[in-house]
Amino acid sequence: MTAADLAGLAAVVTGGASGIGLATASLLAEHGARVAVLDLDPASLKEPLTGFTADVGDDASVRAAVDAAADAFGGIDVVVNCAGVSAIGTVEDNADEQWQRVLDVNVVGIVRTTRAALPYLRRSSHASVVNIGSIVTTTGLPQRALYAASKGAVMSLTLAMAADHVREGIRFNCVNPGTVDTPWVGRLLAAAQDPVAERAALNARQPTGRMVAAEEVAAAIAYLASPAAASVTGTALAVDGGMAGLRLRPEQKA
Protein backbone atom coordinates (compact mmCIF):
# COMPACT_ATOMS: atom_id res chain seq x y z
CA MET A 1 0.00 0.00 0.00
CA THR A 2 1.31 3.44 -0.90
CA ALA A 3 0.51 6.82 0.57
CA ALA A 4 -1.63 7.59 -2.48
CA ASP A 5 -4.02 4.68 -1.97
CA LEU A 6 -6.23 6.48 0.58
CA ALA A 7 -5.79 10.00 -0.73
CA GLY A 8 -9.06 11.89 -0.84
CA LEU A 9 -11.16 9.15 0.76
CA ALA A 10 -13.43 9.95 3.69
CA ALA A 11 -13.16 7.63 6.68
CA VAL A 12 -15.09 7.18 9.91
CA VAL A 13 -13.31 5.54 12.84
CA THR A 14 -15.27 4.70 15.98
CA GLY A 15 -13.40 4.64 19.29
CA GLY A 16 -10.68 6.65 17.58
CA ALA A 17 -9.54 8.83 20.48
CA SER A 18 -7.17 6.26 22.00
CA GLY A 19 -5.42 2.94 21.51
CA ILE A 20 -5.88 1.04 18.25
CA GLY A 21 -8.54 3.50 17.11
CA LEU A 22 -6.27 6.51 17.45
CA ALA A 23 -3.36 4.73 15.78
CA THR A 24 -5.66 3.81 12.91
CA ALA A 25 -7.20 7.24 12.51
CA SER A 26 -3.75 8.83 12.54
CA LEU A 27 -2.37 6.40 9.94
CA LEU A 28 -5.35 6.86 7.61
CA ALA A 29 -4.84 10.62 7.81
CA GLU A 30 -1.12 10.23 7.11
CA HIS A 31 -2.05 8.35 3.95
CA GLY A 32 -4.25 11.19 2.75
CA ALA A 33 -7.70 10.24 4.05
CA ARG A 34 -10.02 12.74 5.69
CA VAL A 35 -10.84 11.14 9.02
CA ALA A 36 -13.83 11.58 11.30
CA VAL A 37 -13.38 10.10 14.76
CA LEU A 38 -16.55 9.06 16.58
CA ASP A 39 -15.86 8.77 20.29
CA LEU A 40 -17.43 9.38 23.67
CA ASP A 41 -14.80 12.05 24.32
CA PRO A 42 -13.05 13.34 21.17
CA ALA A 43 -11.85 16.54 22.85
CA SER A 44 -8.20 15.43 22.89
CA LEU A 45 -8.01 14.99 19.13
CA LYS A 46 -5.86 17.29 17.04
CA GLU A 47 -5.82 18.18 13.37
CA PRO A 48 -5.99 16.67 10.84
CA LEU A 49 -8.47 14.43 12.71
CA THR A 50 -12.03 15.69 13.09
CA GLY A 51 -13.87 14.61 16.23
CA PHE A 52 -17.59 13.90 16.62
CA THR A 53 -19.12 12.98 19.97
CA ALA A 54 -20.98 9.68 19.68
CA ASP A 55 -21.98 6.70 21.79
CA VAL A 56 -22.15 3.51 19.72
CA GLY A 57 -24.64 2.22 22.28
CA ASP A 58 -27.16 4.87 21.21
CA ASP A 59 -28.61 4.72 17.70
CA ALA A 60 -29.66 8.38 17.51
CA SER A 61 -26.19 9.48 18.62
CA VAL A 62 -24.50 7.31 15.99
CA ARG A 63 -26.79 8.41 13.16
CA ALA A 64 -26.30 12.09 13.99
CA ALA A 65 -22.50 11.75 14.08
CA VAL A 66 -22.31 9.69 10.88
CA ASP A 67 -24.56 12.16 9.05
CA ALA A 68 -22.47 15.07 10.33
CA ALA A 69 -19.26 13.41 9.16
CA ALA A 70 -20.74 12.68 5.74
CA ASP A 71 -21.94 16.27 5.48
CA ALA A 72 -18.49 17.61 6.43
CA PHE A 73 -16.64 15.37 3.96
CA GLY A 74 -19.21 15.08 1.18
CA GLY A 75 -19.67 11.36 1.74
CA ILE A 76 -18.13 8.30 3.42
CA ASP A 77 -15.87 5.73 1.79
CA VAL A 78 -14.43 3.84 4.75
CA VAL A 79 -15.78 2.76 8.13
CA VAL A 80 -13.53 1.30 10.83
CA ASN A 81 -15.52 -0.14 13.73
CA CYS A 82 -12.99 0.04 16.54
CA ALA A 83 -15.09 1.08 19.57
CA GLY A 84 -15.38 -1.68 22.12
CA VAL A 85 -15.29 -2.68 25.76
CA SER A 86 -13.69 -5.67 27.42
CA ALA A 87 -14.68 -8.05 30.19
CA ILE A 88 -12.79 -10.48 32.39
CA GLY A 89 -14.21 -13.67 33.85
CA THR A 90 -15.54 -17.14 33.22
CA VAL A 91 -19.12 -17.79 32.21
CA GLU A 92 -20.02 -17.70 35.92
CA ASP A 93 -18.53 -14.33 36.68
CA ASN A 94 -20.35 -11.68 34.63
CA ALA A 95 -23.87 -10.52 35.47
CA ASP A 96 -26.60 -10.33 32.84
CA GLU A 97 -26.30 -6.57 32.78
CA GLN A 98 -22.61 -6.81 31.86
CA TRP A 99 -23.36 -9.35 29.13
CA GLN A 100 -25.94 -7.00 27.68
CA ARG A 101 -23.59 -4.01 27.85
CA VAL A 102 -20.60 -5.72 26.22
CA LEU A 103 -22.66 -7.32 23.44
CA ASP A 104 -24.49 -4.03 22.86
CA VAL A 105 -21.28 -2.05 22.41
CA ASN A 106 -19.08 -4.64 20.70
CA VAL A 107 -21.66 -6.17 18.36
CA VAL A 108 -24.73 -3.96 18.06
CA GLY A 109 -22.47 -0.90 18.05
CA ILE A 110 -21.01 -2.18 14.77
CA VAL A 111 -24.52 -2.70 13.45
CA ARG A 112 -25.57 0.85 14.36
CA THR A 113 -22.54 2.51 12.80
CA THR A 114 -22.53 0.42 9.64
CA ARG A 115 -26.27 0.76 9.19
CA ALA A 116 -26.02 4.54 9.43
CA ALA A 117 -23.12 4.65 6.96
CA LEU A 118 -24.53 2.27 4.33
CA PRO A 119 -26.41 4.93 2.31
CA TYR A 120 -23.12 6.83 1.92
CA LEU A 121 -21.02 3.72 1.28
CA ARG A 122 -23.32 2.73 -1.57
CA ARG A 123 -22.37 5.95 -3.35
CA SER A 124 -18.63 5.32 -3.03
CA SER A 125 -16.42 3.66 -5.63
CA HIS A 126 -14.07 2.44 -2.88
CA ALA A 127 -16.42 1.40 -0.07
CA SER A 128 -14.82 -0.61 2.70
CA VAL A 129 -15.72 -1.56 6.27
CA VAL A 130 -13.15 -2.98 8.68
CA ASN A 131 -14.27 -4.45 12.00
CA ILE A 132 -11.97 -5.12 14.94
CA GLY A 133 -12.16 -8.66 16.20
CA SER A 134 -9.69 -10.39 18.52
CA ILE A 135 -7.40 -13.35 18.97
CA VAL A 136 -10.12 -14.79 21.22
CA THR A 137 -12.24 -15.61 18.14
CA THR A 138 -9.78 -18.33 17.11
CA THR A 139 -7.91 -19.17 20.32
CA GLY A 140 -9.44 -20.09 23.65
CA LEU A 141 -8.05 -17.85 26.37
CA PRO A 142 -8.91 -18.11 30.08
CA GLN A 143 -11.12 -15.54 31.80
CA ARG A 144 -12.53 -14.18 28.53
CA ALA A 145 -15.92 -15.90 28.11
CA LEU A 146 -18.02 -12.77 27.59
CA TYR A 147 -15.42 -10.91 25.56
CA ALA A 148 -14.84 -13.97 23.36
CA ALA A 149 -18.56 -14.35 22.74
CA SER A 150 -18.78 -10.74 21.58
CA LYS A 151 -15.75 -10.92 19.30
CA GLY A 152 -16.81 -14.27 17.86
CA ALA A 153 -20.05 -12.55 16.91
CA VAL A 154 -18.08 -9.73 15.27
CA MET A 155 -16.26 -12.18 13.02
CA SER A 156 -19.47 -13.96 12.01
CA LEU A 157 -21.24 -10.64 11.47
CA THR A 158 -18.38 -9.50 9.22
CA LEU A 159 -18.75 -12.55 7.00
CA ALA A 160 -22.53 -12.16 6.80
CA MET A 161 -22.30 -8.47 5.89
CA ALA A 162 -19.63 -9.23 3.28
CA ALA A 163 -22.00 -11.67 1.60
CA ASP A 164 -24.96 -9.30 1.81
CA HIS A 165 -23.22 -6.31 0.26
CA VAL A 166 -20.51 -7.65 -2.07
CA ARG A 167 -22.68 -7.04 -5.15
CA GLU A 168 -23.12 -3.44 -4.04
CA GLY A 169 -19.36 -2.99 -4.17
CA ILE A 170 -18.91 -2.72 -0.40
CA ARG A 171 -16.14 -4.81 1.16
CA PHE A 172 -16.24 -6.10 4.74
CA ASN A 173 -13.23 -7.52 6.57
CA CYS A 174 -12.04 -7.85 10.14
CA VAL A 175 -8.69 -7.73 11.90
CA ASN A 176 -8.03 -10.06 14.81
CA PRO A 177 -5.29 -8.58 17.02
CA GLY A 178 -3.40 -10.46 19.67
CA THR A 179 -2.74 -8.74 22.99
CA VAL A 180 -2.01 -5.13 22.08
CA ASP A 181 0.09 -2.81 24.22
CA THR A 182 -2.55 -0.11 24.67
CA PRO A 183 -3.41 2.24 27.56
CA TRP A 184 -6.21 -0.17 28.55
CA VAL A 185 -3.77 -3.06 28.89
CA GLY A 186 -1.44 -0.72 30.74
CA ARG A 187 -4.16 -0.01 33.30
CA LEU A 188 -4.79 -3.75 33.75
CA LEU A 189 -1.09 -4.34 34.30
CA ALA A 190 -0.88 -1.50 36.81
CA ALA A 191 -3.67 -3.11 38.83
CA ALA A 192 -2.03 -6.55 38.85
CA GLN A 193 -0.36 -7.89 41.99
CA ASP A 194 2.96 -8.10 40.12
CA PRO A 195 2.80 -5.81 37.06
CA VAL A 196 6.29 -6.76 35.85
CA ALA A 197 5.58 -10.49 35.96
CA GLU A 198 2.17 -9.99 34.34
CA ARG A 199 3.69 -8.01 31.46
CA ALA A 200 6.33 -10.70 30.99
CA ALA A 201 3.58 -13.35 30.83
CA LEU A 202 1.62 -11.41 28.22
CA ASN A 203 4.76 -10.94 26.13
CA ALA A 204 5.70 -14.61 26.40
CA ARG A 205 2.21 -15.76 25.38
CA GLN A 206 2.86 -14.65 21.81
CA PRO A 207 5.43 -16.53 19.70
CA THR A 208 7.20 -13.29 18.79
CA GLY A 209 7.89 -12.76 22.49
CA ARG A 210 6.19 -9.38 22.73
CA MET A 211 2.78 -7.79 22.68
CA VAL A 212 1.48 -6.34 19.43
CA ALA A 213 1.89 -2.59 18.86
CA ALA A 214 -1.22 -0.55 18.09
CA GLU A 215 0.53 0.82 15.01
CA GLU A 216 0.94 -2.72 13.64
CA VAL A 217 -2.79 -3.33 13.91
CA ALA A 218 -3.44 0.05 12.32
CA ALA A 219 -1.28 -0.88 9.33
CA ALA A 220 -3.37 -4.00 8.70
CA ILE A 221 -6.60 -2.01 9.01
CA ALA A 222 -5.32 0.66 6.61
CA TYR A 223 -4.47 -1.99 4.02
CA LEU A 224 -7.91 -3.62 4.22
CA ALA A 225 -9.58 -0.21 4.08
CA SER A 226 -7.66 0.91 1.02
CA PRO A 227 -8.34 0.29 -2.69
CA ALA A 228 -5.10 -1.73 -2.67
CA ALA A 229 -7.21 -4.52 -1.13
CA ALA A 230 -9.99 -4.24 -3.71
CA SER A 231 -10.28 -8.03 -4.06
CA VAL A 232 -10.21 -8.74 -0.33
CA THR A 233 -13.59 -9.20 1.33
CA GLY A 234 -14.99 -11.61 3.89
CA THR A 235 -11.51 -12.06 5.36
CA ALA A 236 -10.17 -12.13 8.91
CA LEU A 237 -6.57 -10.96 9.15
CA ALA A 238 -4.67 -12.03 12.28
CA VAL A 239 -2.17 -9.55 13.73
CA ASP A 240 -1.23 -11.64 16.72
CA GLY A 241 2.47 -12.43 16.63
CA GLY A 242 1.67 -15.95 15.42
CA MET A 243 -0.45 -16.77 18.45
CA ALA A 244 -3.35 -18.37 16.58
CA GLY A 245 -1.38 -20.37 14.06
CA LEU A 246 1.99 -21.30 15.51
CA ARG A 247 2.85 -24.08 17.95
CA LEU A 248 6.50 -23.77 18.95
CA ARG A 249 8.55 -26.32 20.82
CA PRO A 250 9.99 -25.13 24.14
CA GLU A 251 13.33 -23.39 23.78
CA GLN A 252 16.30 -25.57 24.59
CA LYS A 253 18.32 -24.26 27.51
CA ALA A 254 22.05 -24.07 26.99
Side-chain angles (χ1 to χ4, degrees), residues 13-19 21-23 25-26 35-53:
V13 180
T14 68
S18 65
L22 179 57
S26 300
V35 183
V37 170
L38 274 58
D39 200 276
L40 288 170
D41 184 11
S44 62
L45 295 170
K46 299 178 181 178
E47 293 185 355
L49 305 179
T50 304
F52 295 87
T53 301

Short mmCIF file of all heavy atoms in Angstrom, two decimals, residues 13-19 21-23 25-26 35-53:
data_model
loop_
_atom_site.label_atom_id
_atom_site.label_comp_id
_atom_site.label_asym_id
_atom_site.label_seq_id
_atom_site.Cartn_x
_atom_site.Cartn_y
_atom_site.Cartn_z
N VAL A 13 -13.92 6.49 11.91
CA VAL A 13 -13.31 5.54 12.84
C VAL A 13 -14.00 5.69 14.19
O VAL A 13 -13.93 6.76 14.81
CB VAL A 13 -11.80 5.79 13.00
CG1 VAL A 13 -11.20 4.78 13.98
CG2 VAL A 13 -11.09 5.71 11.65
N THR A 14 -14.66 4.64 14.66
CA THR A 14 -15.27 4.70 15.98
C THR A 14 -14.22 4.33 17.04
O THR A 14 -13.30 3.56 16.78
CB THR A 14 -16.47 3.76 16.12
OG1 THR A 14 -16.03 2.39 16.06
CG2 THR A 14 -17.49 4.00 15.00
N GLY A 15 -14.36 4.91 18.23
CA GLY A 15 -13.40 4.64 19.29
C GLY A 15 -12.01 5.12 18.91
O GLY A 15 -11.00 4.55 19.33
N GLY A 16 -11.94 6.22 18.14
CA GLY A 16 -10.68 6.65 17.58
C GLY A 16 -9.90 7.65 18.40
O GLY A 16 -8.95 8.25 17.89
N ALA A 17 -10.25 7.85 19.66
CA ALA A 17 -9.54 8.83 20.48
C ALA A 17 -8.40 8.22 21.29
O ALA A 17 -7.65 8.95 21.93
CB ALA A 17 -10.52 9.53 21.43
N SER A 18 -8.25 6.89 21.25
CA SER A 18 -7.17 6.26 22.00
C SER A 18 -6.88 4.88 21.43
O SER A 18 -7.65 4.34 20.63
CB SER A 18 -7.54 6.13 23.49
OG SER A 18 -8.64 5.26 23.66
N GLY A 19 -5.76 4.31 21.84
CA GLY A 19 -5.42 2.94 21.51
C GLY A 19 -5.36 2.63 20.03
O GLY A 19 -4.86 3.42 19.22
N GLY A 21 -7.74 2.56 17.88
CA GLY A 21 -8.54 3.50 17.11
C GLY A 21 -7.77 4.75 16.75
O GLY A 21 -7.81 5.23 15.60
N LEU A 22 -7.05 5.31 17.71
CA LEU A 22 -6.27 6.51 17.45
C LEU A 22 -5.12 6.22 16.50
O LEU A 22 -4.85 7.01 15.59
CB LEU A 22 -5.73 7.08 18.76
CG LEU A 22 -4.87 8.34 18.64
CD1 LEU A 22 -5.61 9.47 17.94
CD2 LEU A 22 -4.40 8.79 20.02
N ALA A 23 -4.44 5.10 16.69
CA ALA A 23 -3.36 4.73 15.78
C ALA A 23 -3.88 4.57 14.36
O ALA A 23 -3.23 4.98 13.39
CB ALA A 23 -2.70 3.44 16.26
N ALA A 25 -6.77 5.95 13.04
CA ALA A 25 -7.20 7.24 12.51
C ALA A 25 -6.00 8.07 12.07
O ALA A 25 -6.02 8.70 11.00
CB ALA A 25 -8.01 8.00 13.56
N SER A 26 -4.95 8.05 12.86
CA SER A 26 -3.75 8.83 12.54
C SER A 26 -3.08 8.30 11.27
O SER A 26 -2.65 9.09 10.41
CB SER A 26 -2.76 8.78 13.70
OG SER A 26 -3.34 9.33 14.87
N VAL A 35 -10.43 12.09 7.99
CA VAL A 35 -10.84 11.14 9.02
C VAL A 35 -11.73 11.78 10.07
O VAL A 35 -11.36 12.77 10.70
CB VAL A 35 -9.61 10.51 9.71
CG1 VAL A 35 -10.06 9.46 10.73
CG2 VAL A 35 -8.68 9.87 8.68
N ALA A 36 -12.91 11.19 10.23
CA ALA A 36 -13.83 11.58 11.30
C ALA A 36 -13.74 10.54 12.40
O ALA A 36 -13.91 9.34 12.16
CB ALA A 36 -15.26 11.65 10.76
N VAL A 37 -13.46 10.98 13.61
CA VAL A 37 -13.38 10.10 14.76
C VAL A 37 -14.66 10.22 15.56
O VAL A 37 -15.02 11.31 16.01
CB VAL A 37 -12.17 10.44 15.64
CG1 VAL A 37 -12.24 9.68 16.96
CG2 VAL A 37 -10.88 10.12 14.90
N LEU A 38 -15.36 9.10 15.74
CA LEU A 38 -16.55 9.06 16.58
C LEU A 38 -16.15 8.46 17.92
O LEU A 38 -15.68 7.31 17.98
CB LEU A 38 -17.64 8.21 15.93
CG LEU A 38 -18.57 8.90 14.93
CD1 LEU A 38 -17.79 9.53 13.79
CD2 LEU A 38 -19.60 7.91 14.40
N ASP A 39 -16.32 9.23 18.98
CA ASP A 39 -15.86 8.77 20.29
C ASP A 39 -16.70 9.43 21.37
O ASP A 39 -17.27 10.50 21.16
CB ASP A 39 -14.38 9.12 20.47
CG ASP A 39 -13.71 8.28 21.55
OD1 ASP A 39 -13.80 8.65 22.73
OD2 ASP A 39 -13.09 7.26 21.20
N LEU A 40 -16.73 8.80 22.54
CA LEU A 40 -17.43 9.38 23.67
C LEU A 40 -16.82 10.72 24.07
O LEU A 40 -17.52 11.64 24.50
CB LEU A 40 -17.40 8.42 24.87
CG LEU A 40 -18.27 7.17 24.78
CD1 LEU A 40 -17.93 6.22 25.92
CD2 LEU A 40 -19.75 7.54 24.81
N ASP A 41 -15.49 10.82 23.93
CA ASP A 41 -14.80 12.05 24.32
C ASP A 41 -13.70 12.35 23.29
O ASP A 41 -12.54 11.98 23.49
CB ASP A 41 -14.20 11.92 25.71
CG ASP A 41 -13.55 13.21 26.19
OD1 ASP A 41 -13.75 14.25 25.54
OD2 ASP A 41 -12.85 13.17 27.22
N PRO A 42 -14.05 13.03 22.20
CA PRO A 42 -13.05 13.34 21.17
C PRO A 42 -12.29 14.64 21.42
O PRO A 42 -11.57 15.10 20.52
CB PRO A 42 -13.92 13.45 19.92
CG PRO A 42 -15.22 14.01 20.43
CD PRO A 42 -15.40 13.45 21.82
N ALA A 43 -12.41 15.22 22.60
CA ALA A 43 -11.85 16.54 22.85
C ALA A 43 -10.33 16.58 22.72
O ALA A 43 -9.75 17.63 22.41
CB ALA A 43 -12.25 17.02 24.25
N SER A 44 -9.66 15.45 22.93
CA SER A 44 -8.20 15.43 22.89
C SER A 44 -7.63 15.36 21.48
O SER A 44 -6.42 15.50 21.29
CB SER A 44 -7.67 14.24 23.69
OG SER A 44 -8.13 13.02 23.12
N LEU A 45 -8.48 15.17 20.50
CA LEU A 45 -8.01 14.99 19.13
C LEU A 45 -7.45 16.28 18.55
O LEU A 45 -7.92 17.37 18.88
CB LEU A 45 -9.14 14.47 18.24
CG LEU A 45 -9.67 13.08 18.57
CD1 LEU A 45 -10.93 12.79 17.78
CD2 LEU A 45 -8.61 12.03 18.30
N LYS A 46 -6.47 16.14 17.69
CA LYS A 46 -5.86 17.29 17.04
C LYS A 46 -5.94 17.12 15.52
O LYS A 46 -6.12 16.01 15.01
CB LYS A 46 -4.40 17.41 17.48
CG LYS A 46 -4.22 17.63 18.98
CD LYS A 46 -2.75 17.70 19.36
CE LYS A 46 -2.59 17.89 20.86
NZ LYS A 46 -1.16 17.92 21.26
N GLU A 47 -5.84 18.23 14.82
CA GLU A 47 -5.82 18.18 13.37
C GLU A 47 -4.68 17.27 12.89
O GLU A 47 -3.64 17.19 13.54
CB GLU A 47 -5.64 19.59 12.81
CG GLU A 47 -6.82 20.51 13.06
CD GLU A 47 -6.66 21.86 12.39
OE1 GLU A 47 -5.58 22.11 11.79
OE2 GLU A 47 -7.59 22.66 12.45
N PRO A 48 -4.89 16.52 11.79
CA PRO A 48 -5.99 16.67 10.84
C PRO A 48 -7.24 15.86 11.17
O PRO A 48 -8.16 15.79 10.35
CB PRO A 48 -5.35 16.16 9.55
CG PRO A 48 -4.42 15.09 10.01
CD PRO A 48 -3.86 15.59 11.30
N LEU A 49 -7.30 15.22 12.35
CA LEU A 49 -8.47 14.43 12.71
C LEU A 49 -9.61 15.35 13.11
O LEU A 49 -9.41 16.37 13.75
CB LEU A 49 -8.14 13.47 13.85
CG LEU A 49 -6.96 12.52 13.62
CD1 LEU A 49 -6.73 11.65 14.84
CD2 LEU A 49 -7.18 11.67 12.38
N THR A 50 -10.83 14.93 12.74
CA THR A 50 -12.03 15.69 13.09
C THR A 50 -12.88 14.85 14.04
O THR A 50 -13.26 13.72 13.70
CB THR A 50 -12.87 16.04 11.85
OG1 THR A 50 -12.04 16.75 10.92
CG2 THR A 50 -14.06 16.89 12.22
N GLY A 51 -13.15 15.37 15.23
CA GLY A 51 -13.87 14.61 16.23
C GLY A 51 -15.36 14.87 16.24
O GLY A 51 -15.81 16.01 16.03
N PHE A 52 -16.14 13.81 16.46
CA PHE A 52 -17.59 13.90 16.62
C PHE A 52 -17.96 13.09 17.86
O PHE A 52 -17.57 11.92 17.97
CB PHE A 52 -18.32 13.34 15.41
CG PHE A 52 -18.10 14.11 14.14
CD1 PHE A 52 -17.01 13.83 13.32
CD2 PHE A 52 -18.96 15.13 13.76
CE1 PHE A 52 -16.78 14.55 12.16
CE2 PHE A 52 -18.76 15.85 12.60
CZ PHE A 52 -17.65 15.56 11.79
N THR A 53 -18.70 13.69 18.77
CA THR A 53 -19.12 12.98 19.97
C THR A 53 -20.22 11.98 19.62
O THR A 53 -21.22 12.33 19.00
CB THR A 53 -19.65 13.96 21.02
OG1 THR A 53 -18.62 14.90 21.34
CG2 THR A 53 -20.07 13.23 22.29
#
